[in-house]
Amino acid sequence: MTIYITTPIYYVNAEPHLGHAYTTVVADALARFHRLLGEEVRFQTGTDEHGEKVLEAAREAGLPVKDFVDRISGIFRQTWDGLDISYDTYIRTTAPEHIKVVQEILARVYESGDIYFGDYGGLYCFGCERFYLERELVEGRCPDHLVLPTAIKEENYFFRMSRYQDWLKDYIKAHPDWIRPERYRNEVLAFLKEPLEDLCISRPKRRLDWGIPLPFDGNYVTYVWFDALINYLTGLGYPKGSDFPKYWPGAQHLIAKDILKPHGIYWPTMLKAAGLEPFQHLNVHGYWQMSQGKMSKSLGNVVEPRSLTALYGIDQVRFFFLREMVFGLDANFSEAALKARINADLANDLGNLFARSLGMAFKYRQGLVPAPGTPQALDQEVAGRAQEMAADFLHYFPALEFSKALHGVWEFINHLNRYIVACAPWELAKAPQEAGRLDTVLYHLLEGLRWIAALLRPVMPGSALKMSEQLGLGLALWDQPLPHLLKWGRLTPGTQLQKGPALFPRLEAEG
RNA sequence: GGCGGUGUAGCUCAGUCGGUUAGAGCAUGCGGCUCAUAUCCGCAGUGUCCGGGGUUCAAGUCCCUGCACCGCCA
């Protein structure tokens, strides 16, 4: 089984923000999860570098456009490296191989008769070098230059998108979880109730030359969305090689809700017109709403991902993203909420459970994994709950229900904390005749922690690795597919545990 | 203006097909433990389920309507 996970290619007119980081972390967690299942995964992200707004941003920055896009694209890449994003390919739309693919698709659609030449009229501001919609104007004037726009007509190329409206509607109806969650599927269907307009896919070069030339008319460059969406094909080496046929059937796009229309309507109809199969899933998420509360004094703007990870840690931020937001819905972002998650879930629940369990193993058993005796009811319950947690996790995670998947892990963590109280190992340690009982309890704790580490690996790769090291897990119990790891009792008695610093230090109240 | 979404504890939210006394986490209060990162465990709560009307033996849930906020489209 193969799977191809993509983020949007990010538009380089601005630096990465929280929303970009969320999409990318979700994609990464999914990619890591599927790799852990033993599937072949291709994971792609990158940057979108053509179009008017990029040109404007470069001008404002006082840089030649190529230098500008190199710089911002580099910042995105560094940001992802700083979030442990395990992308396989990083695509840039200014790369020669991408330009070739776009021209190839354009030529193909042109030859099939789905691209035609026609008039395009609108209100144009010469100062901005762009068209405006009525509603974008302020008292009928360009909001930047405060001049009256000129009504002009120009000839352009159009993609005959309307031809595929019925096909698209039928396809969505026949494939209920093609666009998910359902609310976004409904939104696209609602949009398709109205007649679909054809899509203008060119810009005259005299007005904008920062784009990919149309292969059939050198006086025009390609509209930026038509160019950008095709990156998903470029990344698989389309049309040559074996990667495209191998990975495309398992393609899953991840996007935020603001770009639902290009991905839910333009893209599938473009694929259809080019004679290609649709992707497998379009996964759509909501927005982080910035709460009104004051941001930390230490930062001008904490929503910058690199500042967040520097302050709170990579895994802490990744965990917060996946735990706090219900995929598809909006969620609130605040530093207070992030800190609360870190202290309550990571430091107090998981971190402390890990510390007290290993602490007892060192204090009572010299840091060696003891051999368990015959399990009693309480021990059997621990093993049973571990199985439940794993089954739920494997069900929820690929369905993008990260919040539920993690909630289940934390129920197990809480259960282990209660198990410790119920068994009171410190009492067992005082009674020599209870030595076997203490061994059994310690073993169940450590084995439970091994399961937790295995499941959390896609979400918090660095912390999970630390857990595995402190648990003394070798390759045979770590770098293996999940189904191989999730068998109760695989932790080997006699294994030497390792001491380490606190996994998730508690954040003290701000001074 | 059209279409859609949301409104549940102090805060953030879950609530399946209409079915017992509406739940979780955080925050708060009290008690317990000492292995642990002042952590953990137990107990205690607090509700006009946005307002109004309707259907039903039964409504947070379904229907109508009003209000507030949000999104998409024009």
Side-chain angles (χ1 to χ4, degrees):
Chain A
M1 184 162 174
T2 62
I3 185 159
Y4 177 40
I5 293 169
T6 70
T7 74
I9 46 173
Y10 301 114
Y11 206 51
V12 293
N13 64 336
E15 296 193 11
H17 57 64
L18 195 71
H20 297 127
Y22 175 75
T23 314
T24 311
V25 164
V26 169
D28 181 67
L30 260 188
R32 288 177 183 272
F33 176 81
H34 285 283
R35 284 189 204 116
L36 263 186
L37 288 180
E39 297 169 12
E40 280 191 89
V41 175
R42 177 71 81 87
F43 171 25
Q44 171 165 304
T45 187
T47 44
D48 181 9
E49 308 185 1
H50 289 125
E52 288 165 344
K53 283 182 186 157
V54 168
L55 214 50
E56 280 169 30
R59 212 174 281 144
E60 271 171 39
L63 285 173
V65 63
K66 182 64 178 140
D67 292 358
F68 179 77
V69 298
D70 283 351
R71 199 187 106 207
I72 306 287
S73 184
I75 292 173
F76 271 93
R77 199 167 182 143
Q78 286 163 22
T79 300
W80 304 152
D81 292 343
L83 271 166
D84 275 359
I85 305 300
S86 62
Y87 56 87
D88 299 301
T89 46
Y90 189 89
I91 198 154
R92 301 182 55 185
T93 54
T94 46
E97 61 268 26
H98 175 66
I99 293 170
K100 270 170 81 177
V101 178
V102 171
Q103 293 184 328
E104 165 116 14
I105 296 285
L106 280 165
R108 212 160 145 172
V109 177
Y110 187 69
E111 278 156 31
S112 74
D114 279 336
I115 290 176
Y116 63 91
F117 199 53
D119 284 339
Y120 185 78
L123 298 167
Y124 193 77
C125 170
F126 284 94
C128 303
E129 298 183 36
R130 57 162 288 197
F131 285 96
Y132 274 100
L133 297 171
E134 294 272 7
R135 64 186 152 113
E136 292 178 307
L137 300 173
V138 179
E139 291 169 1
R141 292 165 185 272
C142 159
D144 272 358
H145 297 85
L146 303 174
V147 297
L148 291 169
T150 314
I152 64 168
K153 250 188 189 177
E154 72 183 26
E155 295 189 298
N156 265 308
Y157 287 90
F158 289 82
F159 167 49
R160 218 181 284 280
M161 199 156 69
S162 56
R163 175 182 280 184
Y164 298 102
Q165 172 157 11
D166 290 340
W167 166 80
L168 181 57
K169 213 188 277 184
D170 292 344
Y171 193 86
I172 293 172
K173 284 179 179 164
H175 299 83
D177 68 346
W178 187 50
I179 298 174
R180 58 186 182 179
E182 195 181 6
R183 57 178 49 217
Y184 298 108
R185 172 179 186 260
N186 292 338
E187 219 168 279
V188 173
L189 280 173
F191 188 82
L192 288 172
K193 279 180 191 161
E194 304 297 319
L196 204 52
E197 304 268 321
D198 288 341
L199 185 66
C200 178
I201 56 155
S202 66
R203 295 293 182 267
K205 250 191 189 165
R206 63 170 188 281
R207 195 150 66 65
L208 175 79
D209 68 353
W210 183 239
I212 299 178
L214 295 183
F216 41 81
D217 191 337
N219 293 319
Y220 290 87
V221 296
T222 311
Y223 171 51
V224 66
W225 267 113
F226 202 94
D227 159 2
L229 289 162
I230 290 172
N231 91 83
Y232 300 131
L233 303 180
T234 308
L236 294 180
Y238 177 87
K240 300 193 186 78
S242 56
D243 282 349
F244 181 76
K246 178 174 175 184
Y247 287 106
W248 185 248
Q252 291 202 26
H253 302 307
L254 270 155
I255 61 166
K257 62 183 181 180
D258 58 331
I259 51 175
L260 176 60
K261 197 166 140 187
H263 283 82
I265 293 177
Y266 304 170
W267 182 224
T269 55
M270 283 166 62
L271 286 167
K272 181 70 179 167
L276 299 173
E277 288 299 307
F279 42 83
Q280 192 191 18
H281 287 297
L282 178 61
N283 306 313
V284 189
H285 68 75
Y287 284 153
W288 285 100
Q289 305 288 354
M290 295 298 145
S291 67
Q292 63 295 346
K294 269 195 300 184
M295 289 294 177
S296 155
K297 328 167 199 150
S298 49
L299 285 171
N301 188 3
V302 79
V303 302
E304 190 195 327
R306 285 176 299 178
S307 309
L308 264 189
T309 53
L311 257 184
Y312 296 107
I314 297 172
D315 283 353
Q316 283 84 345
V317 172
R318 290 173 60 107
F319 171 75
F320 179 81
F321 280 165
L322 293 174
R323 177 64 185 84
E324 188 80 1
M325 181 179 262
V326 175
F327 188 89
L329 301 179
D330 288 358
N332 298 304
F333 180 85
S334 70
E335 281 195 273
L338 174 58
K339 282 182 189 170
R341 283 275 174 220
I342 290 173
N343 276 342
D345 294 355
L346 295 180
N348 294 352
D349 290 348
L350 174 57
N352 183 59
L353 170 67
F354 194 74
R356 66 197 301 209
S357 301
L358 264 77
M360 288 188 283
F362 273 97
K363 190 160 186 165
Y364 304 136
R365 292 297 181 264
Q366 299 80 46
L368 296 174
V369 175
T374 308
Q376 298 186 356
L378 281 176
D379 314 321
Q380 284 165 350
E381 193 187 355
V382 166
R385 289 199 183 226
Q387 310 274 3
E388 276 175 42
M389 160 182 71
D392 286 350
F393 195 92
L394 295 180
H395 169 75
Y396 286 130
F397 211 85
L400 314 174
E401 302 199 69
F402 312 110
S403 174
K404 280 186 187 168
L406 288 171
H407 179 74
V409 174
W410 258 257
E411 282 188 330
F412 182 63
I413 289 169
N414 294 337
H415 183 76
L416 287 184
N417 273 322
R418 287 194 294 272
Y419 173 70
I420 291 177
V421 173
C423 297
W426 49 91
E427 296 295 337
L428 300 175
K430 290 177 194 160
Q433 72 275 17
E434 297 285 11
R437 183 73 202 124
L438 179 57
D439 285 344
T440 305
V441 171
L442 290 177
Y443 183 87
H444 279 74
L445 279 174
L446 297 168
E447 175 67 348
L449 288 168
R450 183 180 72 84
W451 282 52
I452 291 166
L455 291 176
L456 290 182
R457 196 174 169 192
V459 178
M460 298 191 283
S463 306
L465 180 63
K466 279 188 206 163
M467 289 178 74
S468 83
E469 287 166 355
Q470 293 186 36
L471 286 169
L473 305 180
L475 277 185
L477 281 181
W478 188 242
D479 268 323
Q480 302 290 331
L482 269 183
H484 174 86
L485 298 180
L486 297 178
K487 287 175 186 159
W488 190 264
R490 296 212 58 197
L491 183 61
T492 316
T495 300
Q496 175 66 55
L497 305 168
Q498 304 295 325
K499 284 186 176 166
L503 285 175
F504 306 104
R506 192 179 165 79
L507 301 171
E508 297 309 329
E510 221 171 319

